[in-house]
Amino acid sequence: MDEASNVSVKELLRLGSVGVADKDVTWLRVSMTSDSHICVRERICKKDNEGQLKILSLIGSRYHVQTYPFQPDAAMVAPSDPSNRTTPMLALKIANQFVVVRLGSKGGWRRQFSTTLFDVQHWTWLDQRTIGLVTDKAIFHWLMEEAELPQKVFSRHQRLDYAEITSYKTDSAHQWCALTGLFPESNCIAGETQLFSVDKHISQCIHVHTVLLTSYCFKNNKFPSTILCAASRDVSKSPQGKVHILELGPDIKGNLAPWSYQDTIEFRQLEDRYDFPVSIQVSKMYGLMFVVTKYGHLYVCDLESATCLCSAAISSDVVFLATLNSLTQGLIGLNTAGQILAIDLNLHVLVQTAKSHKRTQGVADRLEKYLPLIPVQYLI
């Protein structure tokens, strides 16, 4: 299904309007762990190591900018949690030190450790209290309120030795972990993900470009279960890609037996051989999975069946960051033109689209009950 009217795209802000230069709008210089904050490491002179840190706080359609007169090697604000209104934490990598402070505080709470024993190649917040670190040999978790140093969780698989690590994800209990890397192959970019079970202490590698670990309560189940959402593109079958939804263990009493589904997604242009999925986000409220590709295409899939409900072009520029919009259950995206985009479902149109196909009429019935709950301004 390819109905552009199922999706609306609105520019919230251009980073250039708050003084961010185009050269600083890159994956290595911008971070966005949730829909509440964006960090930008700016170069203000010709030397890469001289600059400033700019943090944008996003509140709906409004924003606030804080500028700090130094440029760390990396910076990232902890993901927001609507159930926890504490001041968010800011993590900084400065030379061989990791430093965590409360955003906006002047002194007080602070945690840090030296990275001299850790060759950190990739790091990210896993939740409001935990940072995941990826070295050339292993993956560590730093529970900063419980341990002075990061603790090893598992070893990095040799199939990722020469990959550029782009993502590290865990479920909320940190019992399932997924490390993703990309590497060039003939005429395409290949993806590899190492899935690790902490409970069973075993790894499995799968050929996918991006993943998400989350929880969801499926129809006819009493309790939420942990699921792996994954997306890939097989250039040998271009322009075809795949989405996978896999219910992970352990088995939960009162739930049906774990299951898995997959479906295909069609890439728009045969010549875009280097387009591939870069982000997956999930709306637990709607039971939908959003797959965003590098060249700015969106695929909306049903979590209960993996069926692709619709697709749309959301950006003419490369999209390198995306996260769930907790207010609208759509997405916040950032592209290389510096546009911060609000990407939302026109839910009333999507319901009609789903009703017109026998395979997705059940999805339409599920989504239709949310129509009376949507504020008028989002019924575009």
Side-chain angles (χ1 to χ4, degrees):
M1 305 176 191
D2 188 2
E3 297 281 349
S5 58
N6 287 302
V7 177
S8 66
V9 181
K10 177 184 177 182
E11 179 183 302
L12 295 178
L13 175 72
R14 277 187 183 260
L15 290 179
S17 69
V18 294
V20 177
D22 291 345
K23 66 179 184 298
D24 293 325
V25 185
T26 68
W27 182 65
L28 293 175
R29 290 193 158 270
V30 183
S31 66
M32 180 174 66
T33 56
S34 68
D35 62 350
S36 63
H37 293 89
I38 295 175
C39 288
V40 183
R41 296 186 304 117
E42 289 187 291
R43 292 167 286 191
I44 58 176
C45 63
K46 293 182 179 179
K47 294 183 179 180
D48 284 350
N49 61 348
E50 295 184 16
Q52 60 188 13
L53 175 66
K54 196 166 274 182
I55 300 178
L56 282 75
S57 301
L58 304 175
I59 308 171
S61 60
R62 297 178 289 114
Y63 66 91
H64 174 69
V65 181
Q66 296 171 282
T67 302
Y68 300 87
F70 67 95
Q71 181 188 211
D73 299 324
M76 200 178 298
V77 177
S80 62
D81 181 357
S83 65
N84 187 346
R85 295 298 182 180
T86 58
T87 305
M89 290 187 283
L90 170 66
L92 305 167
K93 185 178 185 296
I94 306 172
N96 65 347
Q97 296 286 322
F98 260 96
V99 181
V100 179
V101 297
R102 292 204 182 277
L103 190 61
S105 65
K106 298 179 180 179
W109 194 94
R110 178 187 177 103
R111 295 288 186 274
Q112 70 181 73
F113 77 93
S114 173
T115 63
T116 53
L117 300 178
F118 302 87
D119 177 21
V120 178
Q121 296 184 353
H122 180 86
W123 66 280
T124 187
W125 285 98
L126 301 176
D127 55 38
Q128 289 190 315
R129 299 184 301 167
T130 311
I131 290 177
L133 304 107
V134 181
T135 73
D136 59 337
K137 299 297 182 183
I139 290 79
F140 297 79
H141 287 180
W142 184 28
L143 284 77
M144 60 197 67
E145 295 178 351
E146 300 176 15
E148 292 185 3
L149 292 173
Q151 305 297 309
K152 181 180 176 180
V153 180
F154 63 100
S155 297
R156 180 169 161 173
H157 198 282
Q158 62 184 10
R159 284 167 67 171
L160 290 168
D161 282 351
Y162 301 102
E164 178 186 7
I165 301 301
T166 56
S167 169
Y168 177 58
K169 305 283 180 64
T170 69
D171 67 328
S172 60
H174 301 165
Q175 291 302 298
W176 288 94
C177 311
L179 179 65
T180 301
L182 303 177
F183 49 90
E185 286 191 345
S186 57
N187 299 320
C188 71
I189 300 296
E192 192 80 25
T193 294
Q194 178 184 358
L195 181 64
F196 179 77
S197 166
V198 174
D199 182 48
K200 297 181 179 179
H201 207 75
I202 57 173
S203 284
Q204 179 182 355
C205 284
I206 52 178
H207 298 297
V208 293
H209 288 86
T210 186
V211 302
L212 179 70
L213 289 160
T214 188
S215 63
Y216 181 71
C217 189
F218 291 97
K219 182 181 178 181
N220 299 322
N221 278 357
K222 291 184 178 180
F223 306 102
S225 51
T226 301
I227 59 172
L228 171 71
C229 302
S232 62
R233 185 194 182 168
D234 185 352
V235 175
S236 66
K237 298 179 180 179
S238 183
Q240 191 177 92
K242 284 187 177 181
V243 291
H244 309 261
I245 299 173
L246 174 66
E247 192 174 4
L248 302 173
D251 293 348
I252 300 174
K253 186 176 180 180
N255 285 1
L256 300 177
W259 55 266
S260 64
Y261 282 118
Q262 69 176 34
D263 200 3
T264 59
I265 53 177
E266 298 294 327
F267 282 78
R268 288 171 172 261
Q269 298 180 24
L270 286 170
E271 60 267 27
D272 285 348
R273 296 185 63 85
Y274 290 95
D275 194 18
F276 55 87
V278 295
S279 177
I280 292 177
Q281 303 297 324
V282 161
S283 168
K284 298 180 186 180
M285 176 178 172
Y286 293 155
L288 298 176
M289 176 174 71
F290 304 100
V291 179
V292 179
T293 76
K294 177 180 178 179
Y295 288 166
H297 299 296
L298 170 68
Y299 300 87
V300 182
C301 304
D302 173 37
L303 270 182
E304 300 271 355
S305 64
T307 303
C308 184
L309 303 175
C310 68
S311 65
I314 57 172
S315 172
S316 57
D317 296 281
V318 168
V319 176
F320 64 96
L321 290 173
T323 190
L324 185 73
N325 186 331
S326 57
L327 178 64
T328 67
Q329 295 298 298
L331 298 177
I332 299 291
L334 180 61
N335 64 22
T336 53
Q339 291 179 296
I340 302 173
L341 302 173
I343 304 143
D344 293 310
L345 295 174
N346 295 331
L347 198 60
H348 62 302
V349 178
L350 181 60
V351 166
Q352 296 305 314
T353 300
K355 280 184 175 181
S356 66
H357 298 265
K358 185 175 181 180
R359 184 184 181 188
T360 56
Q361 287 178 356
V363 182
D365 293 339
R366 186 183 76 228
L367 294 176
E368 194 168 25
K369 67 182 181 182
Y370 292 107
L371 289 177
L373 306 178
I374 301 174
V376 173
Q377 62 265 36
Y378 298 123
L379 285 173
I380 303 172

